[in-house]
Amino acid sequence: MSDQTRRRVLAGVGGGTAAALLGGTPVLAGSERRQGGGGLAALQVAHMSPDAPNVDVYLGGQAVLTDVPFQTVSNFLPLAPGSYQLQVTPAGESPDQAVVDTMIDLAGRAYTAIATGEVADQNRPFYPLVHPVQMAPLGQDMARIRLFHLAPDAPRVDVVPQGGDPLFTGLGYSQYRTAEVPAGDYTLDVQPAGGGDPVTSFDISLNAGWIYSGYVIGYVEPGNAPADVNLNLVTTVDGGTPTGMSGGGGGGS
């Protein structure tokens, strides 16, 4: 399927119902997976393409997640290490209508596969990212945050806690950085790289012992974008050994 046809297929599908995220270990055909070594791998899937419809996700030709809407992050799916065929289709379509069809290599660790970019390809092409999750133990009273820049029309940015030093600098689209910080409540200013007035700010609570991911999504200028989605921060708890009360989250302002 050509890139132009892929965009037409996605653009022609309307929004769906709430996500039905499937857990458990998928049973995959041997011809679709090449075994690797080590312990189990784990894969979560995040839909962060602002103008894409709900999607289904296939591994090795079998549906593992269905009707996944924008701003959704799945649970981790346990998998044997190896190489897998990853396909993404508009919700309800078969794998031969895949708009993403690629092989991914998974070792014995945790990963996130992220649908990024735009169906309209106005600012960024629609494509998947696959990145590992750092699950190493944390120091006492510390939290870990992995932050992705997935706002298609935003420039490189610095992320600066109010009243503190920059946490991440020069973060470009589709890039991410990871940092360990003292547990607590933060207001993060997102500003043009090198300084300037914040484009937006997010409140986030990080609990001791927890490992988080944050996804900056949406548009700086939603009125000129293919989807009317304001800048927002989606946060997830990916793992860890919590030592505080449950919590964590974020919102745009």
Side-chain angles (χ1 to χ4, degrees), residues 1-13 90 96-100 119:
M1 186 184 297
S2 70
D3 288 344
Q4 184 176 7
T5 302
R6 292 173 197 270
R7 290 196 292 272
R8 281 204 305 268
V9 169
L10 274 175
V13 178
D96 60 4
Q97 296 296 314
V99 294
V100 169
V119 174

Side-chain angles (χ1 to χ4, degrees), residues 28-127:
L28 303 176
S31 61
E32 302 289 349
R33 173 171 55 81
R34 297 190 296 276
Q35 288 281 3
L40 281 177
L43 179 69
Q44 67 177 179
V45 178
H47 181 346
M48 298 297 163
S49 174
D51 69 333
N54 292 15
V55 299
D56 296 341
V57 180
Y58 291 79
L59 285 177
Q62 298 188 26
V64 293
L65 299 169
T66 60
D67 206 17
V68 181
F70 174 55
Q71 302 187 64
T72 296
V73 183
S74 78
N75 293 325
F76 281 97
L77 304 171
L79 299 163
S83 296
Y84 291 84
Q85 183 183 20
L86 171 67
Q87 295 170 296
V88 178
T89 72
E93 298 292 339
S94 61
D96 60 4
Q97 296 296 314
V99 294
V100 169
D101 191 342
T102 188
M103 297 297 295
I104 59 173
D105 295 322
L106 304 179
R109 61 180 304 176
Y111 296 86
T112 306
I114 312 166
T116 71
E118 302 162 312
V119 174
D121 199 7
Q122 178 173 312
N123 299 281
R124 308 286 179 177
F126 183 80
Y127 65 97

Side-chain angles (χ1 to χ4, degrees), residues 84-179:
Y84 291 84
Q85 183 183 20
L86 171 67
Q87 295 170 296
V88 178
T89 72
E93 298 292 339
S94 61
D96 60 4
Q97 296 296 314
V99 294
V100 169
D101 191 342
T102 188
M103 297 297 295
I104 59 173
D105 295 322
L106 304 179
R109 61 180 304 176
Y111 296 86
T112 306
I114 312 166
T116 71
E118 302 162 312
V119 174
D121 199 7
Q122 178 173 312
N123 299 281
R124 308 286 179 177
F126 183 80
Y127 65 97
L129 301 173
V130 180
H131 289 298
V133 185
Q134 290 187 22
M135 293 294 191
L138 286 157
Q140 186 174 4
D141 298 325
M142 300 295 286
R144 181 178 297 128
I145 176 72
R146 179 181 62 152
L147 190 71
F148 289 87
H149 176 347
L150 299 177
D153 67 338
R156 288 185 177 273
V157 298
D158 297 338
V159 180
V160 185
Q162 289 185 2
D165 296 326
L167 184 61
F168 305 114
T169 59
L171 193 62
Y173 182 79
S174 80
Q175 294 181 337
Y176 76 99
R177 305 275 170 76
T178 301

Side-chain angles (χ1 to χ4, degrees), residues 206-226:
L206 303 177
N207 290 325
W210 282 23
I211 298 168
Y212 297 85
S213 287
Y215 306 86
V216 179
I217 58 173
Y219 292 98
V220 176
E221 297 183 359
N224 297 322

